[in-house]
Amino acid sequence: MQLHRDDVVDGALAILDQYGLADLTMRRLAGTLSVQPGALYWHFPNKQALLGAVADRILAPMDRPVVATDWSGALTELAHRLRDCLLTYRDGAELVSSTYASRLTTNKGRERFSSAVIRAGMPRDQAELAAYTLLYYVLGHTVDEQSRMQMDSAGALADPAGEPADATDPTARFDFGLQLFTAGIRHRLGADAH
Amino acid sequence: MQLHRDDVVDGALAILDQYGLADLTMRRLAGTLSVQPGALYWHFPNKQALLGAVADRILAPMDRPVVATDWSGALTELAHRLRDCLLTYRDGAELVSSTYASRLTTNKGRERFSSAVIRAGMPRDQAELAAYTLLYYVLGHTVDEQSRMQMDSAGALADPAGEPADATDPTARFDFGLQLFTAGIRHRLGADAH
DNA sequence: ACCTGAACACCGTTCAAGT
DNA sequence: ACCTGAACACCGTTCAAGT
């Protein structure tokens, strides 16, 4: 039976989640789809384009509407949702991060960030810069968080009183930086809320 | 004559700057050093370790003292210096960014960030979180900035009224996010400076 | 239109053996 | 101690040829 674009993305996502980004090769993917490596190049021009499609799939939940009504609530919600998307699949953060860099994913998160900041009353060009800033933070933080998770689950034997080991809850750590960011926006808006 | 660790790093840095990270392979590096690929594995256990040493070399200027006396001036200066280090070599930001993730570089920037924030009066654990936040921003921004530079210098022919093309000066864009961050810190410190 | 077969031009890493 | 020679086990991509 026929191999469709979506089947290829499905297969790629399965390999990613089970074996990680390093093992997501065109040859291996072809193997699990019971097809020759060259067949994949009829559906995608190259590996980067395939990874872009995988990233889009991972980020699909970013399109759903947001419940918060105030701008800072909406921004916090969107940032958390982006992090959740990235944490859903193994190496999801790393994959999306590198795909953002090569600019062949429709960067859904960033657009929604910026419109939330525009709704807060910031001029469009500044709002876009702010959205980038938040995006860099979420990606950087989550890549780091996820790579630590994998290091821990691998070498749970190690760490004989190495460092304080950051006992704090990862979500609380994430919120700290997020609050730093929203406070910065609020200051920029001149909202002396008192 | 003998091949030393530093010669290997020198050669790697030269390839990086001229041909980019994708062309920085062990075999090619061995070639420019007039040595067999296997020889490199006497000096470094693997490629990641070599890249870590290259990253450390790129970040060497981060050890120099800072001129600003106030914490926000010091932080701004350090952030700019980190960006400058990353922009000095082709693909420098990408290399350092991926090396930070695999945690085998002495992350000089982050430590200096956090001690600046501690000097501002923030408790150590919070200051470290703040330092990470700033680090993610600088890395994310600079990777993006540098990859755009390369896209522009490659396809200067393209861009027929594609987007507004972000006419703003890259340094000004960088400063915007940086100010968002320092404002966030200032707010956290409760410094109602008036 | 969609895929196979087979090749091209590479990779990182290991390791006996040489000097 | 430091390196060579040669192999092992892979990569992404292309493309004539098949159906």
Side-chain angles (χ1 to χ4, degrees):
Chain A
M1 66 214 72
Q2 271 258 28
L3 184 68
H4 287 107
R5 248 184 90 99
D6 278 352
D7 304 328
V8 180
V9 176
D10 285 344
L13 207 46
I15 294 179
L16 180 75
D17 201 35
Q18 284 185 47
Y19 305 99
L21 186 55
D23 284 356
L24 177 44
T25 70
M26 297 301 265
R27 303 182 96 101
R28 180 157 186 169
L29 175 55
T32 73
L33 296 171
S34 306
V35 99
Q36 295 295 317
L40 300 175
Y41 290 84
W42 195 90
H43 298 276
F44 293 94
N46 51 49
K47 186 178 180 180
Q48 275 300 317
L50 204 183
L51 294 182
V54 176
D56 281 344
R57 177 76 68 83
I58 291 174
L59 296 176
M62 293 306 294
D63 285 330
R64 291 205 286 259
V66 89
V67 307
T69 51
D70 60 320
W71 67 265
S72 71
L75 216 51
T76 305
E77 195 178 336
L78 285 168
H80 269 107
R81 189 184 297 173
L82 176 53
R83 171 168 169 264
D84 289 344
C85 288
L86 303 180
L87 291 178
T88 300
Y89 303 93
R90 208 231 269 213
D91 288 343
E94 197 185 339
L95 165 32
V96 170
S97 182
S98 62
T99 305
Y100 261 112
S102 49
R103 243 168 301 287
L104 19 84
T105 180
T106 60
N107 35 23
K108 305 188 168 173
R110 213 203 66 234
E111 289 157 11
R112 300 209 60 184
F113 287 166
S114 72
S115 49
V117 180
I118 287 172
R119 227 173 298 123
M122 194 177 276
R124 143 158 255 113
D125 53 335
Q126 287 185 27
E128 276 173 1
L129 292 180
Y132 270 113
T133 304
L134 180 53
L135 178 66
Y136 299 144
Y137 171 62
V138 178
L139 288 177
H141 171 94
T142 313
V143 167
D144 215 347
E145 178 182 352
Q146 201 168 37
S147 91
R148 278 174 217 259
M149 277 174 52
Q150 270 149 217
M151 277 183 33
D152 290 358
S153 67
L157 35 129
D159 167 53
E163 289 187 46
D166 293 321
T168 359
D169 168 35
T171 307
R173 290 168 61 88
F174 180 67
D175 278 321
F176 181 85
L178 195 52
Q179 281 163 25
L180 236 45
F181 176 80
T182 48
I185 303 256
R186 197 169 282 116
H187 173 264
R188 184 94 204 177
L189 289 168
D192 305 27
H194 51 62
Chain B
M1 69 214 73
Q2 271 259 26
L3 184 67
H4 287 107
R5 247 183 91 98
D6 278 352
D7 304 327
V8 179
V9 176
D10 285 344
L13 207 48
I15 293 179
L16 180 75
D17 201 35
Q18 284 185 45
Y19 305 99
L21 186 56
D23 284 355
L24 178 44
T25 69
M26 297 301 265
R27 301 182 96 99
R28 180 155 184 170
L29 176 55
T32 71
L33 296 171
S34 306
V35 100
Q36 295 295 319
L40 301 175
Y41 290 82
W42 196 91
H43 298 276
F44 293 93
N46 51 49
K47 187 178 180 180
Q48 276 300 317
L50 204 182
L51 294 181
V54 175
D56 281 343
R57 177 75 68 84
I58 291 174
L59 296 176
M62 293 306 294
D63 285 330
R64 291 204 286 260
V66 89
V67 307
T69 51
D70 61 318
W71 68 266
S72 71
L75 216 51
T76 305
E77 194 178 336
L78 285 169
H80 269 106
R81 189 185 297 172
L82 176 52
R83 171 169 169 262
D84 289 343
C85 287
L86 303 179
L87 292 177
T88 302
Y89 303 93
R90 208 231 268 217
D91 289 343
E94 198 185 339
L95 165 30
V96 170
S97 182
S98 62
T99 305
Y100 261 113
S102 49
R103 242 169 300 287
L104 20 81
T105 179
T106 59
N107 36 23
K108 305 188 168 177
R110 214 203 65 233
E111 289 157 11
R112 300 210 58 183
F113 287 167
S114 71
S115 49
V117 181
I118 287 172
R119 225 173 299 123
M122 194 176 275
R124 143 157 256 114
D125 54 334
Q126 288 186 26
E128 275 172 3
L129 291 179
Y132 270 113
T133 304
L134 180 53
L135 178 67
Y136 298 144
Y137 170 63
V138 177
L139 288 176
H141 172 94
T142 313
V143 167
D144 214 347
E145 178 181 354
Q146 201 168 38
S147 92
R148 277 175 216 258
M149 279 174 51
Q150 269 148 217
M151 278 183 35
D152 289 358
S153 67
L157 36 129
D159 165 55
E163 289 186 46
D166 294 320
T168 359
D169 167 35
T171 307
R173 291 168 60 87
F174 179 67
D175 278 321
F176 181 86
L178 197 51
Q179 281 162 26
L180 237 45
F181 175 81
T182 48
I185 301 257
R186 197 170 283 115
H187 173 265
R188 184 94 206 176
L189 289 169
D192 306 27
H194 52 61

